[in-house]
């Protein structure tokens, strides 16, 4: 459901902070320590951790309290990784912890604790020419929303991904500055619909190539290198005879009024619905796997 594709914070860090405050209060009462000094030292340590260590210490404490957090991070980043690969965008690197991000200038400089870096040459060239096509926007939307889709598929809901949503909002909003663009202006409604569309397309791709996704997750959990992760995808693709998609996996057709949608896979049914509604043909679920 769309509700499961909406990131919701787990509040683990908040609960950890409350626990620390309670422990400090108890220590102050029994050991006669100044509570204000304890609070000051704790806040100073947290600030130093954020500024100097990219929040690595805090992240470690969260993972100790909630061991499932690391699994969700792996599944989230594997979603970005696989969808970028399937859509023909080379993966430059990935990190799964704040400690790893500190060692990689592509991530540590941006203050992220986990992430996947990919390169879309086609989009980069279009940005340089200030002529961005809708296909490039759609491809970017799918890749950015794939982490949220992966979490929702495997855990029932997405805890992470707020940064992904902000990245997509920023990207689409900046497109409004190009007066020569043939694409319509982006507003709150169209951005929300684009984010929803991208997440749904990512869900379809992850389901279609679920064997490749499982192999990638296993490789990432074992701490494999970038090349080994790509090999895991391609090896699973050969083993399960996964081919590039030659046609859409299906269509999402909006019903009159825009409150409900129907999922169909029969193109003849799509033609009948289009004739009846006289509306535009809906966008298909796209994706293409590179030949191993």
């Amino acid at each position: 459901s769309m509700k499961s594709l909406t990131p919701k914070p787990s509040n683990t860090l908040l609960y950890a902070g409350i626990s620390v405050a309670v422990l400090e209060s108890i220590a102050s009462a029994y050991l006669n320590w100044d509570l204000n000094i304890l609070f000051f030292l704790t806040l100073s340590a947290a600030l130093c951790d954020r500024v100097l260590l990219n929040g690595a210490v805090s992240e470690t404490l969260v993972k100790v309290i909630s061991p499932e957090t690391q699994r969700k991070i792996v599944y989230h980043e594997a979603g970005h990784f696989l969808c970028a690969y399937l859509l023909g965008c080379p993966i430059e690197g990935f990190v799964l912890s704040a400690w790893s991000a500190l060692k990689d200038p592509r991530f540590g400089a941006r203050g992220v604790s986990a992430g996947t870096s990919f390169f879309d040459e086609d989009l980069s060239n279009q940005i340089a020419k200030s002529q961005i096509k809708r296909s490039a926007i759609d491809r970017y939307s799918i890749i950015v929303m794939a982490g949220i889709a992966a979490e929702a598929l495997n855990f029932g809901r997405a805890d992470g991904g707020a940064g992904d949503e902000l990245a997509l909002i920023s990207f689409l909003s900046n497109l409004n500055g190009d007066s020569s663009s043939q694409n319509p202006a982006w507003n709150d409604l169209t951005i929300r619909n684009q984010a929803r569309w991208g997440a749904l397309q990512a869900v379809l791709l992850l389901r279609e190539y679920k064997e490749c996704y499982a192999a990638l997750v296993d490789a990432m959990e074992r701490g494999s290198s970038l090349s080994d992760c790509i090999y895991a995808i391609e090896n699973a693709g050969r083993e399960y005879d996964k081919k590039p998609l030659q046609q859409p996996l299906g269509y999402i057709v909006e019903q009159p009024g825009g409150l409900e949608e129907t999922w169909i896979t029969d193109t003849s049914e799509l033609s009948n619905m289009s004739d009846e509604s006289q509306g535009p043909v809906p966008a298909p679920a796209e994706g293409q796997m590179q030949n191993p």
Side-chain angles (χ1 to χ4, degrees), residues 49-98:
D49 173 46
R50 171 54 59 185
V51 175
L52 301 178
L53 298 177
N54 194 31
V57 175
S58 300
E59 180 192 72
T60 301
L61 292 175
V62 169
K63 291 178 180 179
V64 170
I65 297 173
S66 178
E68 192 178 48
T69 298
Q70 183 60 34
R71 288 189 67 238
K72 289 184 177 181
I73 291 174
V74 172
Y75 277 79
H76 183 106
E77 297 307 326
H80 289 304
F81 193 124
L82 181 59
C83 284
Y85 174 85
L86 293 174
L87 295 175
C89 297
I91 308 300
E92 297 179 325
F94 67 93
V95 291
L96 302 175
S97 71

Side-chain angles (χ1 to χ4, degrees), residues 7-77:
K8 295 180 177 61
S10 61
N11 293 324
T12 303
L13 192 59
L14 174 62
Y15 298 147
I18 294 175
S19 299
V20 170
V22 171
L23 290 175
E24 289 180 346
S25 298
I26 295 175
S28 175
Y30 280 91
L31 301 176
N32 199 29
W33 291 347
D34 191 316
L35 185 59
N36 292 327
I37 293 179
L38 289 177
F39 283 164
F40 175 78
L41 292 175
T42 302
L43 292 175
S44 298
L47 180 61
C48 290
D49 173 46
R50 171 54 59 185
V51 175
L52 301 178
L53 298 177
N54 194 31
V57 175
S58 300
E59 180 192 72
T60 301
L61 292 175
V62 169
K63 291 178 180 179
V64 170
I65 297 173
S66 178
E68 192 178 48
T69 298
Q70 183 60 34
R71 288 189 67 238
K72 289 184 177 181
I73 291 174
V74 172
Y75 277 79
H76 183 106
E77 297 307 326

Side-chain angles (χ1 to χ4, degrees), residues 130 132 175 178-184:
S130 297
I132 303 178
L175 296 181
D178 183 9
S179 59
S180 63
S181 175
Q182 298 179 352
N183 297 313

Side-chain angles (χ1 to χ4, degrees), residues 167-185:
L168 182 60
I169 292 172
S170 177
F171 172 73
L172 296 177
S173 299
N174 288 333
L175 296 181
N176 288 333
D178 183 9
S179 59
S180 63
S181 175
Q182 298 179 352
N183 297 313

Side-chain angles (χ1 to χ4, degrees), residues 94-166:
F94 67 93
V95 291
L96 302 175
S97 71
W99 293 110
S100 298
L102 282 173
K103 304 174 184 177
D104 193 326
R106 289 171 300 188
F107 299 97
R110 293 185 295 167
V112 299
S113 59
T116 300
S117 177
F118 65 94
F119 179 63
D120 189 334
E121 183 179 7
D122 187 35
L123 177 59
S124 296
N125 292 335
Q126 291 178 27
I127 291 176
K129 298 177 182 178
S130 297
Q131 296 177 346
I132 303 178
K133 298 179 181 179
R134 182 56 187 259
S135 59
I137 296 174
D138 288 345
R139 183 169 57 250
Y140 179 82
S141 301
I142 294 172
I143 297 172
V144 169
M145 298 301 293
I148 294 174
E151 279 197 60
L153 274 175
N154 292 281
F155 300 98
R157 74 168 196 174
D159 288 336
D164 296 334
E165 287 189 328
L166 291 176

Side-chain angles (χ1 to χ4, degrees), residues 23 37 73 78 88 98 106-107 112 136 167-168 181 197 201 203 212 226 246 249 271 281 292:
L23 290 175
I37 293 179
I73 291 174
R106 289 171 300 188
F107 299 97
V112 299
L168 182 60
S181 175
W197 182 88
Q201 305 310 302
V203 166
C212 297
L226 175 61
Q246 301 299 324
L249 296 171
S271 300
V281 177

Side-chain angles (χ1 to χ4, degrees), residues 222-265:
R222 289 186 285 105
S224 300
S225 65
L226 175 61
S227 58
D228 287 340
C229 287
I230 294 175
Y231 174 78
I233 295 174
E234 296 182 348
N235 187 56
R238 286 189 291 268
E239 182 179 353
Y240 292 95
D241 196 28
K242 291 296 180 179
K243 303 294 184 181
L245 294 177
Q246 301 299 324
Q247 60 184 13
L249 296 171
Y251 296 85
I252 302 171
V253 181
E254 188 175 274
Q255 298 299 310
L259 298 179
E260 296 184 359
E261 296 172 335
T262 301
W263 168 256
I264 62 173
T265 56

